Amino acid sequence: MYKMASFRADAFLFKIIVVVNAVVICTAYVPATLPPDRSVNFVGAAKKLPPRGPGICNLEVPTIDLLTEADRRGPIPAGNGTKPGHSIISICCSGWKPKPHVANKCEPICDNGCVNGNCTAPNVCVCLPGYVRDLGNNCIPTCPKGCVHGVCTLQGTCSCSAGYTLDLKGQFCIPICTGGCGAGGNCTAPNVCSCKPGYKKVLATGKCDFNCEGGCPSGTHCVGPNECSCPAGFIKRNNACEAQCPRGCLNGLCTGPNQCTCPSGWTLDLTGTSCQAHCTQPCLNGDCTGPNVCTCKTGYIKDPSAPAGNRCVAHCPGGCLNGQCSGPNLCICNPGFIKNQGTNTCIRRMRRELHMELIPEQLNEFSRD
């Protein structure tokens, strides 16, 4: 019985080791919520990553996602990822796909195919000898192999049919559109223009011009694919036409060319360029800085006895003992008090007695007369 259990344990460990050390390129990473892809295995922790060929990338995934449902019930093998419970698998990079019938190889993908050429990198098609790339990015034959829309002469050059002419390199024939097709069109046949998206053909000229679906408002015109110009007095900002007030619009919103609109509680001044706050009650010793908001001038504070907050009174930081604060840091003494020299303090006035004996005699006589 013990030998049988030992044999089963050894077989299970061997199975884990085989899975851990296997390396293949997978076509896609399959998360644990989907049936496992049996072609996907992970690199074992004891093995170094194999050298990567072109188009092969490594991806770190949870190790449990690489096991079958049955293997998930047993011990989870240690992976070789940078995080616990993760393993590194090899996959084809973006723009590449597994090469059919060849293990551990990836080949590039050219989305539009690569007829008469070799796809050497993602969306890079290299034409075969005897073929050249035309204006449509296709590989077409050139002389002496062939000459589309023309014939190969005895000199090995292409002689184009009527309505066609040689390209700048003299390798293939291209159609002629008299006057061109404009910036938004391609000449696809003699005097036939095909317009790109966002452009339409102008019947008078046959060229492709900007197309604005639904047209443009009065006073504007189409200046790009589905893009209208701004009327006079507006500029384009964030794909929208924004009114301009060059003279200014302080505290307001420019709603039209030189048209300043004030928010509630504000009124436009006579110049039409500034919105001034409106206070129902006047601000005494202050400025109306917002709707019914008075801001005291320097040296003044809000009068606590005015609940409306529209009256500011002078402020004397040191107080006015025996006096009244009549201006910023300015005390007026009460009757019977005078300013103490060099200070803002009021002190009681001292009475002085008149001593006649101290008055000169001549003045004394004058007073008797």
Side-chain angles (χ1 to χ4, degrees):
M1 186 71 175
Y2 171 77
K3 291 183 178 179
M4 180 62 70
S6 175
F7 173 75
R8 290 179 178 175
D10 291 343
F12 182 74
L13 289 174
F14 175 75
K15 182 178 181 182
I16 293 178
I17 293 173
V18 170
V19 173
V20 169
N21 289 336
V23 181
V24 297
I25 296 175
C26 64
T27 57
Y29 167 55
V30 183
T33 54
L34 299 177
D37 184 349
R38 295 184 181 275
S39 67
V40 178
N41 292 304
F42 55 91
V43 182
K47 288 282 188 179
K48 293 183 179 179
L49 292 177
R52 292 189 299 177
I56 298 178
C57 294
N58 289 332
L59 178 68
E60 189 168 353
V61 299
T63 303
I64 193 172
D65 289 353
L66 306 176
L67 301 178
T68 64
E69 189 65 34
D71 289 337
R72 292 175 188 172
R73 300 191 189 101
I76 304 300
N80 69 334
T82 59
K83 297 180 291 185
H86 284 67
S87 295
I88 297 177
I89 62 174
S90 296
I91 63 172
C92 288
C93 302
S94 177
W96 298 72
K97 64 181 180 180
K99 192 170 184 177
H101 313 299
V102 181
N104 303 332
K105 296 291 183 181
C106 296
E107 61 182 7
I109 300 173
C110 287
D111 294 332
N112 297 324
C114 188
V115 180
N116 300 324
N118 290 321
C119 188
T120 58
N123 289 323
V124 175
C125 183
V126 177
C127 296
L128 297 173
Y131 293 84
V132 293
R133 193 180 307 280
D134 66 0
L135 300 180
N137 213 27
N138 302 307
C139 293
I140 60 173
T142 186
C143 292
K145 197 174 188 69
C147 179
V148 181
H149 303 302
V151 294
C152 291
T153 65
L154 295 177
Q155 291 76 25
T157 59
C158 201
S159 177
C160 299
S161 305
Y164 292 85
T165 186
L166 283 174
D167 73 311
L168 295 178
K169 294 183 178 180
Q171 295 177 316
F172 58 93
C173 298
I174 56 176
I176 300 173
C177 289
T178 305
C181 290
N186 291 321
C187 187
T188 54
N191 288 322
V192 176
C193 292
S194 296
C195 297
K196 302 175 183 177
Y199 295 81
K200 66 177 181 180
K201 188 174 294 185
V202 180
L203 296 179
T205 62
K207 295 183 179 182
C208 297
D209 201 357
F210 303 124
N211 179 38
C212 291
E213 296 181 7
C216 289
S218 177
T220 68
H221 58 281
C222 194
V223 294
N226 289 319
E227 180 183 355
C228 296
S229 66
C230 293
F234 292 80
I235 62 169
K236 184 66 68 70
R237 183 171 294 165
N238 297 328
N239 294 326
C241 292
E242 187 176 289
Q244 293 296 289
C245 294
R247 296 186 303 158
C249 183
L250 184 64
N251 299 322
L253 181 65
C254 187
T255 54
N258 283 321
Q259 181 178 347
C260 189
T261 302
C262 297
S264 177
W266 300 72
T267 54
L268 193 64
D269 67 354
L270 297 178
T271 66
T273 62
S274 177
C275 294
Q276 297 179 339
H278 176 67
C279 291
T280 306
Q281 298 183 19
C283 292
L284 182 63
N285 296 321
D287 297 315
C288 184
T289 55
N292 289 323
V293 176
C294 285
T295 301
C296 295
K297 296 181 182 295
T298 303
Y300 291 83
I301 60 174
K302 286 289 182 70
D303 185 356
S305 65
N310 66 309
R311 188 166 60 220
C312 299
V313 294
H315 178 55
C316 295
C320 279
L321 184 63
N322 302 319
Q324 301 294 327
C325 186
S326 61
N329 206 26
L330 177 63
C331 289
I332 299 297
C333 295
N334 295 333
F337 293 83
I338 61 174
K339 279 283 185 71
N340 188 11
Q341 189 174 3
T343 70
N344 208 24
T345 305
C346 297
I347 60 176
R348 189 176 294 276
R349 184 193 303 270
M350 301 299 292
R351 288 181 176 272
R352 295 181 180 178
E353 295 182 359
L354 184 62
H355 297 275
M356 300 300 294
E357 65 273 13
L358 299 179
I359 300 176
E361 185 176 351
Q362 59 270 26
L363 291 177
N364 212 4
E365 293 177 356
F366 177 79
S367 62
R368 286 197 296 268
D369 292 342

